[in-house]
Amino acid sequence: MATDDSQDNTSKMNGNDLPVIYNINQWIEEYKKFFLPPVCNKMMHNVGQLKVFFVGGPNQRKDYHIEEGEELFYMVTGDMCLKVMEKGQPRDIHIKQGEMFLLSARTPHSPQRQAGTVGLVLERERSENETDGLRYFVEKDGEPTQESLFERWFQCVDLGTQLGPVIKEYFASEQCKTGKPIPGTIPENPPVTVDKEKTLGDPFNLQEWIDKHKAEIENKGVKNLFGESWQFQVDMYGPGNNEGFSKVAETWIWQIHGSSRVTIGDNDYILNKDDSLLVPVGQRFQSTREKTDARALICVQDPTRQQPWSR
């Protein structure tokens, strides 16, 4: 999870029961000052299960975040490097402008961002029985090893305020000074078991993906981006109609090309290129795209879809 130090929610949703529409480009322009230091990020939607926010830079860090949810990344402007531990080994995942990447749950990750960049991140609220971790690894020749140097576990309510004290504690610690862990300070059975089996995919250019699957999207009306083994369900819709409903999470719609008409209850909402709409949890919607070139990305993260694992 990227740090969010700007916690006022720009989608004042009256209890989260009303749909919220933003034009993404206009929203980024309006809040561009938040993408500069010292804040570097801004929440678009913070009230509810689904969190939608944009992150700027620079942001260089050594800590690795561990959580039980997934994170969806898209780079709007510029490139970023997402450092991860994949199967116990360090890997740098470079996400370029226009590219999308879905990070699996329980994967230690450390986002590195440059000045002048803006990236979109989607993640979900934690349940009461979920725990987040912040871990520093023992380094060898400048690269992290599998050995934990320093870590803290906490119930994540507001990572933007919870992250700072942990980082300050680390930099003041003996472990930071010596680069060696102190016996007894690392839990033998941490609250979250890191995934050391999953092979992560590669980022892909979203527009190139749309072009590659043009025929299927237009003939079938929809194409899933990542498959069914994820908490995130991310679909690209083409011409036609579809219905959606989630009793556990909000649904986020991003109009990539053309236009859509989204009906929720007795109200119609028109989405044009780069408009987004947040559908409240528990509300059924119908979406219609009449023109052949219309494309709408519709995503929801449902933790009940995750594969079972032992804590």
Side-chain angles (χ1 to χ4, degrees), residues 32-225:
K32 62 182 179 181
K33 67 178 182 180
F34 290 96
F35 306 127
L36 303 173
V39 178
C40 289
N41 63 89
K42 179 68 175 176
M43 279 282 187
M44 175 179 275
H45 301 292
N46 192 31
V47 177
Q49 191 260 20
L50 184 66
K51 311 301 181 185
V52 181
F53 56 100
F54 291 81
V55 188
N59 180 24
Q60 305 293 315
R61 47 199 288 191
K62 289 282 190 179
D63 58 278
Y64 284 73
H65 182 217
I66 303 167
E67 64 179 300
E68 299 181 48
E70 300 163 354
E71 293 190 31
L72 182 64
F73 293 83
Y74 176 81
M75 286 306 297
V76 179
T77 304
D79 307 339
M80 71 165 289
C81 176
L82 184 64
K83 291 182 174 292
V84 301
M85 294 295 284
E86 179 184 44
K87 296 183 176 181
Q89 300 299 319
R91 175 187 172 187
D92 287 355
I93 298 177
H94 296 277
I95 309 174
K96 298 179 180 180
Q97 180 171 312
E99 289 187 340
M100 180 167 283
F101 177 74
L102 181 55
L103 177 71
S104 60
R106 301 182 290 116
T107 299
H109 56 283
S110 182
Q112 314 292 314
R113 299 179 183 273
Q114 303 297 323
T117 64
V118 177
L120 165 69
V121 181
L122 275 70
E123 62 176 35
R124 64 168 174 81
E125 190 172 59
R126 315 299 193 261
S127 65
E128 292 182 356
N129 66 339
E130 290 182 324
T131 304
D132 282 40
L134 207 63
R135 177 177 291 171
Y136 292 83
F137 291 96
V138 173
E139 293 189 352
K140 182 178 180 180
D141 300 325
E143 290 291 336
T145 66
Q146 296 187 46
E147 184 179 6
S148 179
L149 173 65
F150 178 99
E151 60 187 68
R152 291 290 182 267
W153 297 90
F154 50 91
Q155 174 69 36
C156 183
V157 177
D158 179 356
L159 192 64
T161 59
Q162 292 174 283
L163 184 64
V166 176
I167 293 176
K168 290 180 180 179
E169 182 185 1
Y170 168 71
F171 280 112
S173 70
E174 189 68 20
Q175 296 95 314
C176 178
K177 297 174 183 176
T178 65
K180 298 179 181 180
I182 296 177
T185 63
I186 305 299
E188 294 183 7
N189 298 299
V192 177
T193 303
V194 168
D195 189 338
K196 294 185 178 180
E197 298 180 358
K198 190 177 185 65
T199 299
L200 300 176
D202 296 319
F204 59 89
N205 184 280
L206 183 59
Q207 184 56 55
E208 291 178 359
W209 184 93
I210 293 172
D211 294 340
K212 178 180 178 180
H213 299 284
K214 178 177 184 291
E216 183 175 356
I217 294 172
E218 293 182 356
N219 293 332
K220 295 183 178 181
V222 62
K223 172 70 175 177
N224 184 271
L225 276 75

Side-chain angles (χ1 to χ4, degrees), residues 274-286:
D274 285 324
D275 285 343
S276 70
L277 184 147
L278 188 73
V279 181
V281 61
Q283 295 193 19
R284 189 172 301 278
F285 69 91
Q286 296 82 39

Side-chain angles (χ1 to χ4, degrees), residues 271-305:
L271 302 184
N272 295 308
K273 179 176 169 54
D274 285 324
D275 285 343
S276 70
L277 184 147
L278 188 73
V279 181
V281 61
Q283 295 193 19
R284 189 172 301 278
F285 69 91
Q286 296 82 39
S287 182
T288 301
R289 296 155 301 279
E290 296 182 352
K291 294 188 176 181
T292 303
D293 62 350
R295 301 288 184 268
L297 185 80
I298 301 182
C299 53
V300 60
Q301 184 171 189
D302 182 354
T304 64
R305 285 165 49 100

